Amino acid sequence: MFEKSATDLIRGIRLNKKRQDEYVKQQLQEIQQEILKSDLDIKAQAVQKLTILHTMGYSMSWADFHVVQVMASPKFQHKRIGYYAAALAFRQDTDVIMLVTNLIKKDLSSNNPKDAILAMHCLAHIVTVGLARDLHQDVMIRLNGSQPYIRKRAIVCMYKIFLKYPDALRIAFPRLKEKLDETEPTVVQSAVNVICELARKNPKAYLPLAPQLFHLMTNSKNNWMIIKLVKLFASMTPLEPRLSKKLASPLLHLIQTTPAISVMYECVHSVIVGNMIPPEGSEESEQPVFAELLDICLSKLSMLIQENDQNLKYLGLVSLVELLKTRPKAVQDHRDIVFKCLEDGDSTIRARALDIIYGMVDASNIFGIVKHLLVHLASSLTSDTNAPSEEIQDRTLVARKIVQACSKDTFVNITNFEWYITVLVDLGYCKNVVIGPLIRDQLIDVCSRVREVRPFAVQAMCKLIVERELYKTLSKENNQIDILTGAAWICGEYPQFIPDPQELINHLLDNAGLKPEILYYFVSSMFKVYCHWASTTPPSLMSTTLEWITQLERLLSHEDLEVQQRTFMTVQLIKSCVHLSESDFLSVAKSFFEQEFLPVAPTSQKRVPQPQIDLATPLRKIEKQAEKQDKLGGFFEEIPIQKLQLDVPLEVDPVDAPRLSSVLQRPEAKKYDIVRDVELAPLESEIKPEIEPVLDSIAKVPKVKKEKTKKEKKEKKQKKSKEKKADGQQVEEKVDTISEKVAETVEWVLLLKEADFELLYQWRLVESQISIVLQLSTNADFGNFDLQCVYAAHRGHLEWTMTIPAEVSFTCVPIQLTLTSGHQVPKITLGASHPTATSSPSGHV
């Protein structure tokens, strides 16, 4: 009678905030004593206090059995405490769950509706596969209960049962469908909720319910249910296109008349994501109802974007991103509203606005959009130093979107690459923008694909290196010094366009304070430029070479090993060339970098077959094979692509911004031949023409086919089973000649490559043993090979691969075999008629 109640426990926790753990431990000790008592009032009170402590993070798994005891109490007050405790504390792996099956079944069939409600509430939280299988029939009976609140809870409980036991859905679906025609609104809402949740996984299965759901959507006054049904129809319309015409008018009426913004937005969003607006250029897009639906959706989204509420503005932008996929031209008419969102204080809104701007870009408006974004970058700079990280991230995102829009689909929107090079250079000078590696990759990509832009690009890159303005940002954390690596690579790869190679080499060698990653490119580029300069310079001016070697040798003591290695190789190559005669020096200098780099598709490497290299084969053999492969043809080729031109000139007003005057002027559209990614062809397609003459010269082996009836097969099987011994060993049987007893199918391919050979041998055996002798000859000086195969097994399919060491003299070599059917391991012997051969190649049999 002196036990503390749940109210006392809560009051004590509040009074002991500083020593809460100690107080809770003390209360748990008291609860452990109370819960062991036989009085159900005290036990129920202890379970109630345990439930409160469980919500605070303290475990009550040790009291699971006592919870079941309270659930079984005949008093409703005790039963309610037990059921709610089980719903909160029981998990899927709780041991005592199997004890509550009959208890829940009993309460579901109770005459007291409160007991049934408690049972369904608890079952929905703790349902397992076993409980769902055993109790789904009892819950279905409650679907026809007299009280609406019982039917409503039974419908929701059935959804949890469907998730654990899907077979129950087939049984309960007709009754669930009947609940859509109920007169009680709460029951209908529960049924709609369950159907909408089930349809999220498989909307196609619920298309037959479309007439009933359409009737509910057009006649219901409940905004919550209208939103659910509109979302459901949005997932159905891609599966049934006829629904779009049926839903267009009701949804248009809802958007225009509903006072609830939530309903209006969900209708607009569902129209867009459900593809109810036909794409541009289709016949249905010109129908008045769809044109009116598009106009009203755009007007409502524009209204949401201009709202002061940030949530509504964000939702409007999200829907506009989805509409951009099907109607980009319609969205472009509202780009002024989208550009204003770039000035919003919310970073998520600015990010969605950038997504819309990126989606609007095409060849006709790219100059205007890039101009607006560059001006935004120039005007949004708050401070050159100590800029907040959020500002740097936003500015970097804008610059990244500019590059992505220009490089989209391999520069499909670019009609003036000189303009694009200027844009990349100006982005490199933007402060608080960190996209140096991306700009570097773009510069290299453009120059390697577009030959016409290389002279302009090389001059721009020389200016970057010579002016040394980017060097001033070395001390800053957020710098774009990585652009210099791309500039050095371009200058080194196309040195014929450098206006003053000697000046550039001097600046490349003046590299104090640069990162090792940049010095890698500078040293390599310096050597390339030097080779070109030396091949076009009279010998009288070669005295400067010694000065450059002296400057290079300073890097031999650099802390980075890669810099040391590249510098050492460069110095030694230059020194070796200097001592040559004039004619030899010019030819050697020109031969270093004669071939041009071409872009290769990222997936090309996967198409190249892996070489079958034998580690026992001398390396000189592999070199010969490589030389032969080179003769088959190169892997690279240039593919000219016709570029798009601007049909409508875009007038752009000049803007007074630093370093933007040349970019913001409308460039002249030009035609370019862009080198696409080159796909590498597999080697097999190259070698196949050389194999065909060899195949034609090989004698064909006649095929012997023998048909057997089912009766003959059965008699043969019975005959073999009688001949087996008690221990399962197969008795040796006499084998007649191959022509009489063996039915086989032989297919072979003999590939001669210099002195190597390869044999693919497949067959099907009928009798238990076969002996075949094949004569193989090659153009090597080791004679003929005799291959003898002795197969002793049941009928089966046998494949093997073996490498014969050429240097070994042998008379019999064991072979590793893989037997796909049969019971006994076959025996193979391989002998050479000339085992004393001195130069035998490797073979694959």
Side-chain angles (χ1 to χ4, degrees):
M1 61 181 295
F2 298 104
E3 290 81 5
K4 292 181 180 179
S5 63
T7 305
D8 297 332
L9 176 64
I10 296 173
R11 187 181 295 112
I13 292 173
R14 291 176 178 175
L15 293 176
N16 294 272
K17 291 183 178 180
K18 295 183 180 180
R19 47 186 297 271
Q20 179 176 319
D21 292 338
E22 183 180 351
Y23 177 77
V24 170
K25 289 180 181 179
Q26 179 183 354
Q27 295 301 312
L28 283 173
Q29 293 177 358
E30 297 179 3
I31 292 172
Q32 290 175 356
Q33 296 177 0
E34 295 173 3
I35 207 168
L36 296 175
K37 296 182 179 180
S38 58
D39 190 347
L40 280 178
D41 292 331
I42 299 175
K43 189 184 289 289
Q45 183 175 270
V47 170
Q48 187 178 18
K49 291 189 288 184
L50 268 180
T51 306
I52 296 173
L53 294 177
H54 176 76
T55 59
M56 297 175 61
Y58 296 93
S59 176
M60 59 174 294
S61 57
W62 55 272
D64 290 341
F65 183 77
H66 301 287
V67 172
V68 175
Q69 289 180 324
V70 176
M71 291 169 63
S73 173
K75 292 185 179 180
F76 176 74
Q77 293 83 356
H78 299 164
K79 190 183 294 291
R80 180 176 60 181
I81 293 172
Y83 271 115
Y84 277 101
L88 289 173
F90 284 7
R91 299 185 302 272
Q92 296 289 310
D93 56 349
T94 302
D95 296 335
V96 298
I97 279 187
M98 63 181 67
L99 302 177
V100 303
T101 303
N102 292 329
L103 178 60
I104 295 177
K105 183 186 289 287
K106 176 183 175 182
D107 289 334
L108 284 174
S109 59
S110 174
N111 294 328
N112 186 359
K114 295 181 180 180
D115 293 345
I117 291 175
L118 286 176
M120 286 187 288
H121 171 78
C122 180
L123 178 61
H125 285 82
I126 68 172
V127 62
T128 62
V129 177
L131 288 176
R133 182 181 59 251
D134 297 336
L135 299 176
H136 71 276
Q137 293 287 355
D138 300 275
V139 179
M140 284 177 57
I141 294 174
R142 284 296 183 175
L143 291 175
N144 297 327
S146 57
Q147 297 89 347
Y149 55 88
I150 293 290
R151 300 198 297 272
K152 176 180 66 175
R153 288 181 176 271
I155 292 172
V156 177
C157 184
M158 285 302 299
Y159 170 69
K160 292 300 185 85
I161 292 176
F162 296 153
L163 297 181
K164 295 293 182 180
Y165 186 61
D167 291 343
L169 180 58
R170 297 186 180 90
I171 303 172
F173 187 75
R175 295 192 183 183
L176 186 62
K177 182 180 178 181
E178 293 174 359
K179 301 307 169 185
L180 295 175
D181 299 327
E182 278 266 1
T183 56
E184 182 62 35
T186 57
V187 178
V188 177
Q189 292 172 17
S190 299
V192 169
N193 188 24
V194 171
I195 291 174
C196 290
E197 292 298 321
L198 292 173
R200 290 174 62 183
K201 297 183 178 180
N202 185 16
K204 188 176 181 180
Y206 301 90
L207 281 173
L209 298 179
Q212 289 177 276
L213 299 175
F214 180 82
H215 175 76
L216 291 174
M217 186 189 72
T218 53
N219 293 279
S220 176
K221 302 298 181 182
N222 188 306
N223 290 338
W224 177 88
M225 192 166 70
I226 291 175
I227 291 173
K228 282 282 186 180
L229 291 171
V230 168
K231 287 184 175 181
L232 177 57
F233 279 121
S235 62
M236 289 182 175
T237 47
L239 303 173
E240 180 53 70
R242 292 177 295 179
L243 278 175
S244 300
K245 297 181 180 180
K246 187 70 175 177
L247 293 169
S249 297
L251 290 177
L252 182 62
H253 177 73
L254 274 174
I255 294 172
Q256 292 175 332
T257 58
T258 181
I261 296 181
S262 59
V263 176
M264 182 269 293
Y265 170 74
E266 290 297 341
C267 290
V268 171
H269 187 70
S270 298
V271 166
I272 296 172
V273 300
N275 298 328
M276 299 182 194
I277 298 178
E280 293 177 353
S282 61
E283 297 179 358
E284 296 180 349
S285 62
E286 299 179 358
Q287 296 182 8
V289 62
F290 291 117
E292 186 179 0
L293 188 61
L294 175 62
D295 293 339
I296 193 65
C297 288
L298 285 172
S299 63
K300 293 296 183 181
L301 291 178
S302 300
M303 180 192 69
L304 291 177
I305 294 173
Q306 298 178 49
E307 286 282 347
N308 295 327
D309 190 340
Q310 299 292 85
N311 295 325
L312 295 179
K313 183 179 295 186
Y314 180 81
L315 291 175
L317 291 172
V318 169
S319 297
L320 210 59
V321 171
E322 296 294 332
L323 183 59
L324 192 65
K325 299 176 182 178
T326 55
R327 289 300 185 95
K329 293 183 179 179
V331 177
Q332 288 182 13
D333 298 336
H334 298 77
R335 66 178 182 179
D336 293 337
I337 300 174
V338 178
F339 277 126
K340 290 180 181 179
C341 294
L342 292 176
E343 311 296 335
D344 196 277
D346 193 338
S347 60
T348 57
I349 292 177
R350 295 196 298 270
R352 297 289 78 75
L354 278 176
D355 291 339
I356 297 174
I357 293 171
Y358 171 75
M360 290 191 298
V361 172
D362 56 27
S364 64
N365 60 14
I366 186 171
F367 303 122
I369 290 178
V370 171
K371 166 203 166 182
H372 196 290
L373 294 178
L374 287 173
V375 173
H376 173 72
L377 281 177
S379 60
S380 63
L381 182 64
T382 58
S383 174
D384 291 354
T385 58
N386 299 326
S389 59
E390 184 178 357
E391 178 185 343
I392 295 175
Q393 292 177 1
D394 291 341
R395 291 173 58 82
T396 300
L397 182 60
V398 174
R400 192 176 295 275
K401 286 295 182 181
I402 292 175
V403 177
Q404 291 175 356
C406 293
S407 61
K408 185 178 181 181
D409 296 334
T410 317
F411 315 110
V412 69
N413 297 322
I414 301 298
T415 57
N416 190 303
F417 281 94
E418 288 83 358
W419 169 83
Y420 183 42
I421 293 292
T422 309
V423 170
L424 293 174
V425 173
D426 286 342
L427 286 176
Y429 283 113
C430 286
K431 302 184 184 303
N432 296 335
V433 174
V434 189
I435 57 168
L438 180 60
I439 296 176
R440 174 199 63 200
D441 296 341
Q442 283 295 299
L443 288 171
I444 295 175
D445 197 16
V446 170
C447 292
S448 61
R449 293 178 186 274
V450 187
R451 285 190 173 86
E452 293 84 351
V453 82
R454 289 172 186 172
F456 179 84
V458 170
Q459 293 178 12
M461 298 303 102
C462 290
K463 188 177 179 181
L464 272 176
I465 297 174
V466 172
E467 285 187 350
R468 307 181 69 84
E469 186 171 342
L470 288 176
Y471 290 71
K472 300 176 184 179
T473 62
L474 281 173
S475 59
K476 297 181 181 180
E477 181 180 358
N478 302 313
N479 59 59
Q480 304 200 82
I481 200 69
D482 292 327
I483 301 175
L484 292 177
T485 60
W489 187 91
I490 293 171
C491 292
E493 199 61 32
Y494 313 107
Q496 64 271 24
F497 303 117
I498 298 175
D500 190 351
Q502 192 170 354
E503 181 187 8
L504 181 63
I505 292 175
N506 290 328
H507 282 86
L508 288 173
L509 293 176
D510 185 11
N511 46 38
L514 293 180
K515 297 187 298 183
E517 293 79 6
I518 300 176
L519 291 178
Y520 301 159
Y521 288 85
F522 271 36
V523 173
S524 300
S525 178
M526 177 267 166
F527 181 60
K528 294 177 183 179
V529 177
Y530 170 79
C531 289
H532 174 75
W533 172 81
S535 63
T536 57
T537 302
S540 59
L541 299 179
M542 295 297 292
S543 59
T544 55
T545 300
L546 299 178
E547 299 177 5
W548 291 336
I549 291 177
T550 303
Q551 295 183 42
L552 273 174
E553 287 177 344
R554 292 182 304 177
L555 294 177
L556 293 176
S557 59
H558 196 276
E559 59 183 6
D560 189 83
L561 294 178
E562 180 71 16
V563 174
Q564 294 181 25
Q565 182 182 4
R566 295 197 182 202
T567 304
F568 180 78
M569 293 176 62
T570 302
V571 170
Q572 295 303 317
L573 285 171
I574 294 176
K575 286 182 178 180
S576 63
C577 293
V578 169
H579 297 294
L580 298 175
S581 62
E582 182 179 352
S583 59
D584 293 340
F585 177 79
L586 293 177
S587 62
V588 170
K590 289 181 179 179
S591 64
F592 274 129
F593 308 104
E594 286 184 344
Q595 294 185 351
E596 177 186 348
F597 276 107
L598 292 177
V600 180
T603 58
S604 293
Q605 186 63 36
K606 297 180 180 178
R607 300 182 59 192
V608 178
Q610 295 182 0
Q612 302 295 330
I613 300 178
D614 182 13
L615 298 179
T617 306
L619 292 178
R620 58 183 180 84
K621 304 290 184 181
I622 300 176
E623 291 174 0
K624 291 182 178 180
Q625 294 177 9
E627 291 175 2
K628 185 173 181 179
Q629 292 175 7
D630 292 340
K631 295 177 182 178
L632 297 179
F635 291 126
F636 301 98
E637 61 178 351
E638 298 177 9
I639 305 173
I641 300 297
Q642 185 177 2
K643 296 305 298 177
L644 295 177
Q645 288 186 335
L646 288 177
D647 297 331
V648 181
L650 181 63
E651 297 297 336
V652 180
D653 297 330
V655 176
D656 295 330
R659 291 196 167 274
L660 299 181
S661 57
S662 61
V663 184
L664 302 182
Q665 299 296 331
R666 177 185 172 274
E668 180 183 358
K670 300 181 180 180
K671 290 185 178 181
Y672 299 91
D673 289 334
I674 300 181
V675 181
R676 296 295 182 183
D677 292 337
V678 179
E679 297 289 349
L680 300 185
L683 287 176
E684 286 82 357
S685 62
E686 308 265 355
I687 300 175
K688 186 177 179 181
E690 294 193 359
I691 302 177
E692 294 178 355
V694 180
L695 295 178
D696 296 337
S697 63
I698 298 177
K700 296 182 180 179
V701 178
K703 298 182 179 181
V704 182
K705 296 184 179 180
K706 182 179 179 180
E707 298 291 335
K708 284 193 174 184
T709 61
K710 294 183 178 179
K711 184 177 180 181
E712 290 176 344
K713 294 180 180 179
K714 186 176 181 180
E715 291 176 355
K716 179 182 176 182
K717 186 176 181 181
Q718 292 176 354
K719 181 180 178 181
K720 287 186 177 181
S721 61
K722 292 178 181 179
E723 292 176 348
K724 289 185 179 180
K725 293 182 179 181
D727 58 353
Q729 297 288 336
Q730 185 178 6
V731 181
E732 296 182 359
E733 59 180 356
K734 184 176 180 181
V735 181
D736 295 334
T737 59
I738 298 176
S739 59
E740 295 178 354
K741 294 291 185 178
V742 178
E744 61 177 340
T745 300
V746 180
E747 296 177 0
W748 61 21
V749 176
L750 182 61
L751 172 61
L752 296 179
K753 250 175 62 175
E754 294 191 359
D756 298 341
F757 66 85
E758 179 177 347
L759 176 64
L760 175 62
Y761 191 47
Q762 299 176 347
W763 71 88
R764 182 176 68 253
L765 297 177
V766 177
E767 297 299 331
S768 61
Q769 189 170 350
I770 179 174
S771 178
I772 300 175
V773 178
L774 296 178
Q775 295 287 339
L776 302 180
S777 62
T778 70
N779 58 355
D781 188 19
F782 63 88
N784 297 333
F785 269 79
D786 297 333
L787 174 65
Q788 185 177 12
C789 171
V790 180
Y791 185 91
H794 293 293
R795 180 170 58 182
H797 181 78
L798 178 64
E799 297 178 359
W800 74 82
T801 301
M802 176 196 170
T803 300
I804 307 171
E807 300 82 0
V808 180
S809 299
F810 57 86
T811 55
C812 182
V813 180
I815 298 178
Q816 183 75 26
L817 293 174
T818 301
L819 187 63
T820 58
S821 64
H823 301 284
Q824 294 185 4
V825 179
K827 301 177 181 178
I828 304 294
T829 60
L830 183 62
S833 59
H834 298 281
T836 60
T838 58
S839 60
S840 301
S842 62
H844 300 278
V845 180

